[in-house]
Structure formats: structure tokens, C-alpha cells
Amino acid sequence: MTYCVGMLLDEGLVMASDSRTNAGVDRVSTFRKMFYFERPGERTMCLVTAGNLSVTQAAVGYLKERLDQEDGSTLLNATNLFEAARVVGDTLREVYDQDREHLEGHGVSFTSEAIFGGQIGAERPRLFRIYGAGNFIEASEDTPYFQIGETKYGKPILDRVVDPSISLAEAARCALISFDSTMRANISVGPPIDLFCFRRDGHGNSFRRKIEEDDPDWQRIRAAWGEGLKRAFAELPDPGWEI
């Protein structure tokens, strides 16, 4: 299992992913699930993936191999981010067509999904959730964030905080709290956490950070959030029930 989140804001984009994969409590590994595709000064794109690791790695491998091909659409020649999302979706569909029958023949389900965001040229930043079948939906002002993987534990804080008007820094803190809630409830999600913050029109100047378990900033945020929850609970009004 994994957990990834992407937010579309007025200021730009915030995306985050964990790095844990496991096939049982005694088989835990670390694999990166965040990937960048960019041309400095012209386009910046970020992809986070969840699902069967062999499927998502195959898709990312194809995307990287084809960056410089002259025929057909690639992530580096797509004219806008919608077209780039189509490239990602078509690649997932291609892997599905190649591997689904063989995987299912060995009792392995074909599962994959992704969040893909960025900006090309002067186009506004955009964010997409891409499903294993290759189809996708786009974030909007009404739906400014997407989650994939183990989504249920980190969703409440996102619902209460995420709005397109919040700052990149606020969104980054919210993403980390969402991960804290998820990690406390599910051991299949764990650090390092890859964090990507992109300011609108900031090609070549995005913020990227790999957050380890012992990262002091991460620990301060987690501790402050835990203490804040305890204070908020203690200050709740007494309903006056006789219990």
C-alpha cells in the first residue's frame, strides 16, 4: 500500500508521496513513487503513483524512454498538460494490455493509478487523477485535491483545510499532517516522504524535499499537531449529559 496526495492551489501545486512498499509485515522495502519531467524555463511536471509496483515502474520506464522520440506525443513535446495527461494515461493502458493477462494468470491483480500535475508554458497549473484504465479526471476549484492509495485516514484534515486560496506553505503542512494521520493508522504507509511544491510560473525553481523519519521539521510539525489536538479536545464544551 502507499499514500499520495496532490493539491491544486491559486499559487501553484503541492504533491507528496510515501516510499514504503510491503508484501507482509516482514517484507518491507523502500521505493520512490514521485517522478519529475521537466524542461527548465518551459515546463515542469510531477507524477506520483500507487498500485502494483511492477506496473507503475513499467509505465514510468516507458515515459522516460520516450522523452526524446520524434514521432508521437511525449511529456516533453505535449502542447498542454491535458495532452501530457493523455500520454500518461495511454502509457498505463499500454502496460495493462501487455501485462494484465499474465498477471491475472498468476493470481495478481492489475492495479495502478496516478496523480499528475504541473504547468507547460504560460498555461495555468493543472492537476489530474489518472486511473489504471488510462482515463482521468481534472481537479477544479470545487475539487482542489486528489488522493490515491490508502486515502481514508488522511482525508478529514484535507477536507477541513484545503482550499485553492491557501498558501503553498499551508498546503505543505496540511499534506504532512495528512501523512501523519495515515502513518499512525496504517503501517503499510511510511517514510521517506517526497514533497514537491511548485509556484505558478516558477519553472526550474520548484521546492523538493525528501523527509526522513528523523527530520527535525517533520518531528516538530507532528508534535505540535498532536499537542494541538489534545488542547482542542480538552476545550470542547461539556454537553451536560449525566454519564
Side-chain angles (χ1 to χ4, degrees), residues 56-74:
T56 57
Q57 285 191 342
V60 171
Y62 282 141
L63 290 170
K64 290 181 176 180
E65 286 180 357
R66 296 167 181 172
L67 288 177
D68 297 322
Q69 73 180 23
E70 296 181 358
D71 58 323
S73 294
T74 74

Side-chain angles (χ1 to χ4, degrees), residues 9 29-31 36 42 87 127 134 151 171 173 179 184 212 232 238:
L9 312 168
S29 301
T30 298
F31 285 91
Y36 308 110
E42 193 265 335
V87 172
L127 184 72
T151 61
R173 291 197 299 271
F179 271 86
R184 287 179 180 274
E212 303 283 358
D238 185 346

Side-chain angles (χ1 to χ4, degrees), residues 130-174:
I130 304 175
Y131 300 94
N135 56 318
F136 54 82
I137 58 176
E138 183 172 3
S140 66
E141 186 173 344
D142 294 328
T143 307
Y145 77 85
F146 291 133
Q147 299 170 284
I148 56 175
E150 183 56 88
T151 61
K152 56 184 176 292
Y153 302 111
K155 182 175 171 57
I157 180 63
L158 298 176
D159 284 339
R160 289 181 180 273
V161 173
V162 178
D163 179 272
S165 64
I166 67 174
S167 70
L168 294 179
E170 290 171 323
R173 291 197 299 271
C174 183

Side-chain angles (χ1 to χ4, degrees), residues 66-203:
R66 296 167 181 172
L67 288 177
D68 297 322
Q69 73 180 23
E70 296 181 358
D71 58 323
S73 294
T74 74
L75 293 181
L76 292 188
N77 67 21
T79 58
N80 55 59
L81 212 73
F82 183 89
E83 182 182 344
R86 286 288 301 270
V87 172
V88 177
D90 289 347
T91 304
L92 281 173
R93 189 178 298 116
E94 179 182 354
V95 176
Y96 176 86
D97 291 339
Q98 292 175 347
D99 295 345
R100 178 188 58 83
E101 182 179 350
H102 304 290
L103 288 171
E104 292 180 350
H106 286 81
V108 179
S109 61
F110 186 101
T111 58
S112 64
E113 53 186 339
I115 300 173
F116 178 65
Q119 182 179 7
I120 294 178
E123 176 189 36
R124 62 180 174 83
R126 302 172 77 174
L127 184 72
F128 299 86
R129 177 174 179 173
I130 304 175
Y131 300 94
N135 56 318
F136 54 82
I137 58 176
E138 183 172 3
S140 66
E141 186 173 344
D142 294 328
T143 307
Y145 77 85
F146 291 133
Q147 299 170 284
I148 56 175
E150 183 56 88
T151 61
K152 56 184 176 292
Y153 302 111
K155 182 175 171 57
I157 180 63
L158 298 176
D159 284 339
R160 289 181 180 273
V161 173
V162 178
D163 179 272
S165 64
I166 67 174
S167 70
L168 294 179
E170 290 171 323
R173 291 197 299 271
C174 183
L176 293 179
I177 293 303
S178 180
F179 271 86
D180 176 65
S181 299
T182 303
M183 290 163 54
R184 287 179 180 274
N186 191 323
I187 62 171
S188 70
V189 176
I193 299 170
D194 286 308
L195 179 65
F196 169 79
C197 303
F198 172 76
R199 187 170 297 280
R200 185 170 186 157
D201 300 324
H203 297 301

Side-chain angles (χ1 to χ4, degrees), residues 25-38:
V25 295
D26 59 345
R27 295 180 62 188
V28 177
S29 301
T30 298
F31 285 91
R32 186 178 184 185
K33 302 162 191 174
M34 177 178 286
F35 308 92
Y36 308 110
F37 303 88
E38 59 188 338

Side-chain angles (χ1 to χ4, degrees), residues 40-67:
E42 193 265 335
R43 64 183 63 203
T44 304
M45 294 166 285
C46 180
L47 176 72
V48 293
T49 62
N52 185 292
L53 189 62
S54 66
V55 171
T56 57
Q57 285 191 342
V60 171
Y62 282 141
L63 290 170
K64 290 181 176 180
E65 286 180 357
R66 296 167 181 172
L67 288 177

